[in-house]
Amino acid sequence: MQLARLRQALTDRADQQLLRHTVCIEPLAEGRLRADGKEYLNFSGNDYLGLAAEPDVLKASEEGLRRFGLGSTGSPLVTGYHYAHQALTEALCDWLGFDQVLLFSSGFAANHAMIQTLADADDTLLLDKLSHASLIDGAQQRSGSFKRFLHNDLVSLQSIIEQLPVGKSMVVTEGVFSMDGDSPDLVAVSRLCQQAQAPLLLDDAHGLGVCGERGRGSWQQQGLEPKQLHALMANFGKALGGSGAFIAGSNTVIDYLRQFARHYIYSTALSPALCWGVLAAIRCCQADHWRRDKLQHNIASFRQWASEAELPVMTSATAIQPLLIGDTVKTVQLSQQLKSRGIWLTPIRPPTVPHGKARLRIALSSSHQPEDILFLVQSLKELY
Ligand SMILES: Cc1ncc(COP(=O)(O)O)c(C=O)c1O
C-alpha cells in the first residue's frame, strides 16, 4: 500500500475515535499498576489468579534463566526443544489428561495452526459468531469454506450442521468468550458434534486455571472428557501469568501437528526459562484452591453490588464481567473518567467487538480486595 493510503487509514481510525495506543505500564502487587508515575487499580489484566508476580513463579523463572539461558535458540525440531519444554508438556498431559501436548509461541499462533492444519480443504468449519480473531483469521486463510453460527446458539449450530454431509464439518468454539465472559453448553455442543461426526476444537484460553477441578478448564467443569475434544488450545498468558500456548490432543492429532503445523516447525521454540516459570505457575494453580475461591468470591461480590447499583452488566459467571455501553465515544469518556479516579479500565471498541457494542470489560482477579471492587462499582454508578 502507498504511504498516502496508510495515512488515510490512520486518519479515518482517529476520526472514529478508534485509534489504539500502547501505554507503558509497570505492574504492581495486589491488582495494581503504575503508568505515568501514577498508581491505578487494574481491572483490565488477565492475571486472574495473581500468578504473574507470584514469588515461587519468579524464583523458578530466574532458575530457568540460569539453567537454560535466555532463549531456546532454535525451532523445536532442530535444537529448540529442551528439558524445560519436555517437563512442561509432561505436566500439562498429567494435569489435563490428554495423550500429548505441543507448545506454541502464542495462543494466536496455536489457534491458527490448529485450524489450518487439522481442517481438510473439503471440511466446512463451523465457528461461533464471536470467535477470537485468531480463529477467524485461521478459517479465512485456509482454502476450505467456513460458516458462522449465532453466538452460543445450539439451534443455529444444529441447523447449519444438519445441512452438511456427515463427517464433513468441524466445530470450533471457546470455553469462555473473551469479550462477553459467557460459555456455551459444551455437553450439548459435543453431542451435536458426535451426531454429525464433526470433530470439536476448543479454545479455553480464559477457562484454563480458573474453571474446573484444580483449574483444568471449562470443558472439565462442564463434564467433558479429553476424548470428546479433537483438540484443546489454551495459553499461558491469562491465568498462568506467562506467555505462550499449547494444543493438547490424542497421540494421532499431536503427532500430525508436529509434522505439519507450520507455526510449530518454522518458529523459534518458547524460551525454556519461561517454560520453567510456567511450570511453577501450574503447580501453584493446581495446589492453591484459595486463588479460585477468592476469585469466585470477588465475582459474586461484584455482581451483587453491580446489580444493587443497577449497572447493566452482561450475564457472565466468570472473571470477565463486561459492562455494555454501546456508544464508542461514551465508552472512551467513561474510561478516562475512571482513570482520573485511579481505575484502569481500557475501553473495548470495534473492531474487537461489533459496532454499537463498545464496552468496559472488567477483568477480576484473586489479587483484588473487596474494597477495590466496591470502589469500582461506586465509581461506575456515579459516572455511568
Ligand atoms: C479466546 C482467546 N484465544 C486466543 C488468544 C490469543 O492468545 P495469545 O495472547 O497467547 O496470543 C486470546 C488472547 O487474546 C484469547 O482471548
Side-chain angles (χ1 to χ4, degrees):
M1 253 197 278
Q2 299 288 323
L3 279 180
R5 288 194 45 203
L6 302 183
R7 278 191 209 104
Q8 187 57 51
L10 290 170
T11 309
D12 291 349
R13 271 233 157 150
D15 289 348
Q16 297 165 327
Q17 297 257 358
L18 294 178
L19 205 59
R20 292 145 189 248
H21 304 277
T22 42
V23 184
C24 187
I25 67 111
E26 180 192 344
L28 302 173
E30 310 251 310
R32 283 157 171 75
L33 60 82
R34 188 179 290 121
D36 288 332
K38 196 177 159 201
E39 255 190 50
Y40 297 90
L41 268 169
N42 178 10
F43 283 106
S44 281
N46 293 318
D47 186 17
Y48 303 127
L49 300 177
L51 288 172
E54 159 61 39
D56 285 349
V57 174
L58 300 185
K59 211 168 117 206
S61 308
E62 282 165 18
E63 186 192 296
L65 276 173
R66 277 193 304 274
R67 274 183 73 173
F68 309 110
L70 178 60
S72 65
T73 75
S75 76
L77 299 179
V78 185
T79 57
Y81 190 71
H82 299 206
Y83 176 65
H85 301 99
Q86 186 181 313
L88 177 56
T89 54
E90 282 172 7
L92 285 164
C93 289
D94 231 41
W95 185 25
L96 305 176
F98 285 80
D99 290 349
Q100 281 192 58
V101 150
L102 215 55
L103 302 176
F104 288 83
S105 56
S106 73
F108 202 102
N111 269 345
H112 221 258
M114 178 168 78
I115 291 215
Q116 297 216 319
T117 318
L118 295 181
D120 243 0
D122 60 350
D123 285 329
T124 303
L125 273 175
L126 306 182
L127 268 78
D128 187 286
K129 195 83 185 150
L130 297 189
S131 292
H132 189 264
S134 51
L135 297 168
I136 298 169
D137 284 12
Q140 277 175 341
Q141 289 160 18
R142 63 182 268 279
S143 46
S145 65
F146 76 99
K147 293 182 189 295
R148 313 280 296 272
F149 55 91
L150 296 177
H151 177 53
N152 283 346
D153 189 324
L154 286 163
V155 176
S156 168
L157 173 59
Q158 185 167 11
S159 71
I160 300 176
I161 220 170
E162 280 176 356
Q163 288 167 24
L164 296 164
V166 170
K168 283 287 160 214
S169 55
M170 290 184 101
V171 175
V172 188
T173 189
E174 297 176 28
V176 175
F177 280 83
S178 56
M179 292 301 141
D180 286 40
D182 55 357
S183 301
D185 178 343
L186 288 173
V187 174
V189 172
S190 165
R191 202 176 303 123
L192 278 181
C193 287
Q194 257 174 315
Q195 284 160 6
Q197 291 176 26
L200 174 57
L201 308 177
L202 184 72
D203 171 341
D204 205 23
H206 298 274
L208 184 77
V210 176
C211 307
E213 192 188 286
R214 294 165 78 228
R216 289 171 70 203
S218 58
W219 57 277
Q220 194 276 337
Q221 186 178 42
Q222 292 199 33
L224 288 197
E225 295 291 330
K227 63 177 183 312
Q228 290 170 278
L229 298 175
H230 192 60
L232 165 74
M233 192 301 295
N235 61 0
F236 307 132
K238 314 287 183 198
L240 294 175
S243 72
F246 67 91
I247 298 177
S250 63
N251 284 323
T252 309
V253 164
I254 301 301
D255 283 347
Y256 184 84
L257 284 170
R258 191 179 290 106
Q259 299 306 317
F260 299 106
R262 297 169 69 80
H263 307 70
Y264 182 74
I265 302 165
Y266 300 110
S267 183
T268 303
L270 279 176
S271 150
L274 173 84
C275 293
W276 210 238
V278 171
L279 191 54
I282 290 175
R283 290 203 189 101
C284 291
C285 177
Q286 291 171 323
D288 296 352
H289 297 287
W290 64 266
R291 293 179 194 269
R292 277 179 290 281
D293 292 346
K294 187 161 172 220
L295 177 60
Q296 285 311 319
H297 189 261
N298 283 347
I299 295 168
S301 303
F302 172 80
R303 289 200 66 82
Q304 189 190 327
W305 292 330
S307 142
E308 286 163 10
E310 295 179 5
L311 291 170
V313 179
M314 291 165 66
T315 308
S316 157
T318 68
I320 301 164
Q321 294 289 328
L323 183 65
L324 188 63
I325 311 293
D327 181 58
T328 299
V329 177
K330 187 171 175 206
T331 311
V332 174
Q333 268 169 3
L334 261 174
S335 164
Q336 282 162 351
Q337 288 167 323
L338 287 165
K339 202 170 162 192
S340 68
R341 291 181 179 216
I343 294 172
W344 196 274
L345 203 38
T346 311
I348 305 289
R349 299 166 283 176
T352 304
V353 290
H355 282 277
K357 295 271 170 101
R359 67 197 62 184
L360 294 173
R361 174 189 181 271
I362 297 153
L364 298 170
S365 163
S366 60
S367 307
H368 292 130
Q369 301 304 327
E371 55 273 23
D372 302 335
I373 296 168
L374 195 56
F375 178 57
L376 169 70
V377 173
Q378 282 166 346
S379 301
L380 285 169
K381 187 180 174 186
E382 284 165 32
L383 297 170
Y384 180 71

